[in-house]
Structures are given as structure tokens and as C-alpha cells.
Amino acid sequence: MKTAGALGVYSMSVVTALTAQNTAGVQGIHPVPADFVRAQVEAVLSDIGCDCVKTGMLPSADIIRAVVECLAKRPAVRLVVDPVMVATSGDVLVGGDTLGALRELLLPRADVITPNLPEAKALLGWEEDITDLEGMKRAATALFELGPKAVLVKGGHVAGGRLAVDVLFDGERLHELEAGWVDTRNTHGTGCTLASGIAAELAKGRPLVAAVSAAKGYLTEALKSSAWLQLGQGKHGPLNHFYGTTSWGTSRESPRARFRPSDLAVYAVSDSRMNARWGRSNVEAMRAAIEGGATILQLREKDIGTGDFVKEAQEVVALAREAGVPLVINDRIDVALAVGADGVHIGQSDMPLRLARALLGPDRIIGISTKTPEQARKALEDGADYLGSGGVFPTNTKENNVTIGIKGLLEVCESTPLPVVAIGGIKTTNAAEVLSAAKANTKGPDGVAIVSGVFDQPDVAKATKDLETIVNSALSKRQDLLTVT
Ligand SMILES: Cc1ncc(COP(=O)(O)OP(=O)(O)O)c(N)n1
Ligand SMILES: Cc1nc(C(=O)O)sc1CCOP(=O)(O)O
Ligand SMILES: [Mg+2]
């Protein structure tokens, strides 16, 4: 429920067992009678209803049957099954007959199941431990045969390695989802948190791979922010699900805490000269870009008085806020502060990033233009939240711009953990090429920033929509999130 809340989703609970547990392990389990589980499920689903159910520990076959019966009446409700059988502490949580009910009744109903390695082994009845990536892939495809629409084998338990890799099999492709390994003792509840994050993102309507990737991003941030916590005597302490709180320097509601790499997917950068040529204002153009599916907006005005810039920015901020789309201001920290924009985008010759951060504070997004890995390294050091990297292709929009090509873009992407948006000469005709250029399992751009491809067009909404379709398709297939076998 904390995870759902942190991800902006309303959640309700059905208690299947009372547990006596702490950081040292599970001291006792008191199952709830199956009829009472059924009553709880019906109480919430017949009243408020829900978009997605996530199951955790289901301690008996009767309880599993009760859950399956309730869901059988609601085929539209998506289901994430976290087959909780072995706690992080190693304690086995469910009896043998429950395994059969889990396997035969619940798994075939699931949109995705999320076993850890011991749970995957138990569900498959394998003798051998799963100890590497190949074993994870075999387990994922074997578990798929039990009926779920997708299988996520969580590899956090795979010994060693500097990456937390999970393998997702969706019936067609094996996706390797990577995140930087977090050295922490505070891993109690990571499995439940990831499964709940996936359920929350599915409930928001995200497609499966994106939902898993977003949930993994959230969990990694929670692990990082909890790493220093010293709570409990046991081996595994708790996570801080609400890591974006004021005591950690950013408020949960801050634009920066909300910012995700996926926000960079369809990045519309305005140009008033182009809009004037087509007989529309920047404000009208930005409204159309939002309508077309832009995931982030940038107001970029190079030849305008400050008063006019502030007035225009105030109108665009209102639009962006209403649509829930981040708005950053190009170059002008003062204008961003004056109108309460979500952040700024600055270049190498604009206000130094550290000063911009000092003026904007910890809650605003700062993006910076980078052409080289060295600039990317410095940007990370100085506290950037994302990089704009290009020009990928030659452009007439920005005079005397140095073109770095796809090669230069990928060098920047691979050199930094920061999210990167590609920019420069990008159109619907080449956006897919840019987004899928990264080799398998290497980091690629998180999106494309476009000026003339969106605003030097007769119909901004259509141009943006066309771009969004291409971007979403390319990102869902892109190499650095999956290994195609
Ligand atoms: C996302 C994104 N990337 C790069 C730029 C370029 O910024 P601009 O101010 O136009 O030029 P420099 O200051 O980087 O030289 C951008 N606007 N947006
Ligand atoms: C604003 C900007 N910055 C660039 C950089 O390389 O940093 S290229 C550029 C112009 C991009 O316009 P278009 O999408 O019309 O090519
Ligand atoms: Mg600039």
C-alpha cells in the first residue's frame, strides 16, 4: 500500500494472514479463514472496484481458491502474482499443498508473475538452484508454460554482479531489465514492493514492459535512499517507500521527485518563429503538443523581452500543470523561478549548473546540453537530472550547431547513468533509428527532443501524435531493455 501511495495510486487491502515478523525473519503466521478473505475481496471489488490486483502471501489452497473465484467474475481486472513462498530471511511461508493450488489455479489467471529465484525453483519443482542469467531465462520460459501472460524472474539473489538484473518473458521476447546494484542491508520487502509497483503502473495503464521498468526504477531509488537506514537487529532492514520526502532534500510532490526517464520520451521544444509562420502563438502550439501526447515541454525563446517571456511562460505553466506534463524553461533561471516552472534546460555556455541548482533549489528539474562523455560526467557531478545530447543530425533550427551523430549520442548515453534525450534534426522519419540504435544491453536515449518536427508543421497535435506512436513503439522494442533470443 505504501508503494501504491508513493506511485500515486489508491490502494485497498485484503488481509490473507497475520504475520509476526521483523527484520530478523518471520516468527509466526496466522492465516485468515478463506471465507473471510472472500468477504474482504468482495467488499472492496463490489464497491470501489479496482484496475489491478496484486497477490502476496496466500497461505492455503482454500484462500487461493477464494481469490481465484472472486477474480473469475472480473476478467478485466489485471493480476500480478507475487508467489510469496520464501521470505527474504529464507523462512518458508506456505505449505506444500498450497504450491499445487498456486500453480494450477492462480498462475494461469495472472498477467504477470514475479518469483524470486527460490520461488521460481519451487514452482518449477527443479532440484538445481538458479544461479545465473541463462538459468533465469530458462526458468522464465518454463514458468510461462504454467499459464501466466508474462513471467518476471527477479534476479536480485543472483550472487555477485554489479547489476540487479531481472528477466521478463512476455511470451515473445526475453527482456533483461537492469538497474544499478545498490549496496544495502535494507532489502526487506523488495519483492513485494516491486510487484506492487508493477501493479500500480499497470493500473495507470502502462504497457507491461514499461510498467516493470518504471517499477524497477522506483524500487532502485527507494533502495538507494534507504541504504543508510539502521533499523532492526536482523540482516534485512526496511525500505523507505516515501523516499522523496523533505527530510531527504526533495519533497515528494516536487517536480524533481516526480521526474522519471520516461518523461523524456516525447520532448517538445517550442520555437515562436516557426509558430508565427504557421499563424499560431506558442501557447496554442504547446496546447496542441500536449494534446498530441508530448511527455515534457520546453519553452525556448531566444529573442523575446523578459516581460513577454514571463507572460507566455505563465500561460504555458498553467496548461502544463493541468495536463500533468513537466514544463522546463530554456536558459532563463529567472523566468523559471518567476512562473514556478518544473525546471530549466541550460547549455554549456549558460548559467553554470551548480549556480542554477543553488538558485532553483533541490526540487526543480535541471537538464543540460552535452556533446561529450566528459561534459556528461561533469553534469552528473554538478547535479543534473537529465542530459540533452546532440545534434544527432544536422539542423537549421540552431545556428552553427555541432553535429555529433548517433555515434556521439550513444557515447554520451553509455558514459552516464543519467537519462538522456536526443536532439537535433530528429523527425518522425528517423526517431525510431535514434531510439533503437543502442546495442543490446547498453544504455540508449530515453527519448527524443524535437523542434521543427513538431512546431514547423501545419498540425502540431498530429505531428506530436505521429511522433509519440513511433517513439512508444521504438522504446518498447529497444535493445537496452531486452535481449532478443
Ligand atoms: C533537450 C534540449 N537539449 C539541448 C538544447 C539546446 O539548448 P539551447 O539553449 O538551445 O542551446 P545551448 O544552450 O545548449 O547551446 C535544448 N534547448 N533542449
Ligand atoms: C535546440 C537544439 N539544441 C541542439 C543541440 O544539439 O543541443 S540542436 C537544437 C535544435 C533542434 O531543432 P530541430 O528538432 O528542429 O532539429
Ligand atoms: Mg541554452
Side-chain angles (χ1 to χ4, degrees):
M1 293 186 81
K2 289 182 180 179
T3 300
L7 293 173
V9 168
Y10 180 76
S11 65
M12 300 168 284
S13 70
V14 170
V15 178
T16 59
L18 298 177
T19 60
Q21 66 173 304
N22 57 22
T23 62
V26 179
Q27 293 83 37
I29 296 174
H30 184 69
V32 169
D35 284 346
F36 195 69
V37 170
R38 182 182 284 105
Q40 292 178 79
V41 176
E42 288 302 332
V44 293
L45 295 197
S46 63
D47 176 30
I48 294 178
C50 78
D51 300 292
C52 190
V53 166
K54 189 280 289 187
T55 62
M57 183 181 68
L58 301 172
S60 74
D62 286 345
I63 286 177
I64 291 174
R65 272 190 281 276
V67 170
V68 169
E69 283 157 23
C70 293
L71 290 178
K73 295 183 275 186
R74 300 167 174 94
V77 172
R78 305 189 73 173
L79 174 64
V80 177
V81 173
D82 185 22
V84 178
M85 291 181 276
V86 181
T88 309
S89 53
D91 297 89
V92 179
L93 299 175
V94 295
D97 65 328
T98 306
L99 204 50
L102 196 58
R103 201 184 280 133
E104 274 107 58
L105 300 175
L106 196 63
L107 296 198
R109 174 62 176 78
D111 286 81
V112 58
I113 64 173
T114 63
N116 59 32
L117 299 183
E119 288 159 351
K121 176 188 169 190
L123 284 170
L124 289 166
W126 285 0
E127 291 299 319
E128 298 299 312
D129 287 349
I130 304 165
T131 56
D132 59 17
L133 201 49
E134 285 317 306
M136 291 170 65
K137 291 178 181 178
R138 283 199 307 279
T141 49
L143 285 166
F144 181 79
E145 297 310 314
L146 297 179
K149 295 192 186 70
V151 178
L152 177 72
V153 175
K154 296 176 296 188
H157 293 239
V158 173
R162 299 307 298 158
L163 285 174
V165 183
D166 299 334
V167 169
L168 173 66
F169 183 59
D170 59 11
E172 288 175 15
R173 293 197 194 92
L174 276 164
H175 305 247
E176 286 179 37
L177 297 164
E178 291 180 1
W181 182 261
V182 180
D183 286 325
T184 174
R185 63 183 282 278
N186 299 317
T187 56
H188 188 86
T190 48
C192 317
T193 298
L194 181 61
S196 300
I198 294 169
E201 295 300 326
L202 289 175
K204 292 179 191 173
R206 273 192 203 266
L208 179 69
V209 176
V212 176
S213 182
K216 203 170 162 60
Y218 163 74
L219 174 60
T220 302
E221 290 303 313
L223 283 164
K224 280 183 200 167
S225 79
S226 315
W228 60 273
L229 287 173
Q230 290 296 331
L231 296 174
Q233 319 304 320
K235 283 193 299 180
H236 301 292
L239 292 182
N240 170 26
H241 292 84
F242 296 107
Y243 56 85
T245 64
T246 46
S247 52
W248 269 275
T250 62
S251 75
R252 182 72 215 140
E253 289 317 304
S254 76
R256 193 181 188 198
R258 284 197 304 267
F259 179 70
R260 291 278 183 277
S262 53
D263 290 336
L264 296 173
V266 181
Y267 192 137
V269 180
S270 70
D271 184 304
S272 48
R273 291 163 304 167
M274 293 176 189
N275 286 317
R277 273 205 298 272
W278 289 97
R280 57 186 175 236
S281 70
N282 262 351
V283 176
E284 289 162 337
M286 287 299 220
R287 181 181 289 112
I290 292 171
E291 183 193 319
T295 52
I296 184 169
L297 302 173
Q298 181 187 128
L299 200 54
R300 179 174 181 267
E301 289 282 7
K302 299 289 186 182
D303 312 309
I304 187 172
T306 300
D308 291 339
F309 198 167
V310 166
K311 185 172 175 305
E312 186 177 274
Q314 282 167 332
E315 291 183 66
V316 177
V317 156
L319 286 180
R321 192 75 76 243
E322 187 187 337
V325 174
L327 168 72
V328 300
I329 304 294
N330 177 256
D331 290 357
R332 299 289 299 272
I333 315 304
D334 56 338
V335 173
L337 283 169
V339 305
D342 295 293
V344 295
H345 186 90
I346 52 180
Q348 296 293 322
S349 55
D350 293 318
M351 165 91 64
L353 204 161
R354 285 179 186 272
L355 288 179
R357 176 61 70 198
L359 290 169
L360 286 163
D363 287 353
R364 301 286 154 192
I365 302 161
I366 300 183
I368 186 166
S369 305
T370 52
K371 293 187 182 294
T372 66
E374 178 47 31
Q375 288 176 346
R377 188 199 56 74
K378 178 132 184 14
L380 178 66
E381 214 171 69
D382 292 349
D385 297 297
Y386 77 83
L387 307 179
S389 192
V392 178
F393 305 109
T395 174
N396 297 321
T397 304
K398 184 180 170 190
E399 286 173 14
N400 310 318
N401 193 45
V402 171
T403 300
I404 63 173
I406 288 183
K407 182 173 178 298
L409 167 72
L410 293 182
E411 283 167 4
V412 168
C413 291
E414 289 172 29
S415 73
T416 178
L418 286 174
V420 178
V421 63
I423 188 166
I426 300 176
K427 315 284 182 194
T428 49
T429 50
N430 57 26
E433 176 194 359
V434 173
L435 291 171
S436 49
K439 295 189 294 295
N441 296 331
T442 55
K443 187 166 168 292
D446 296 86
V448 289
I450 296 199
V451 186
S452 55
V454 167
F455 294 108
D456 199 4
Q457 306 296 327
D459 183 337
V460 167
K462 181 183 182 309
T464 311
K465 191 68 196 160
D466 293 348
L467 182 68
E468 185 208 31
T469 305
I470 291 164
V471 167
N472 285 348
S473 168
L475 286 179
S476 65
K477 292 186 206 119
R478 79 182 209 182
Q479 288 301 316
D480 59 341
L481 272 185
L482 59 91
T483 300
V484 181
T485 56

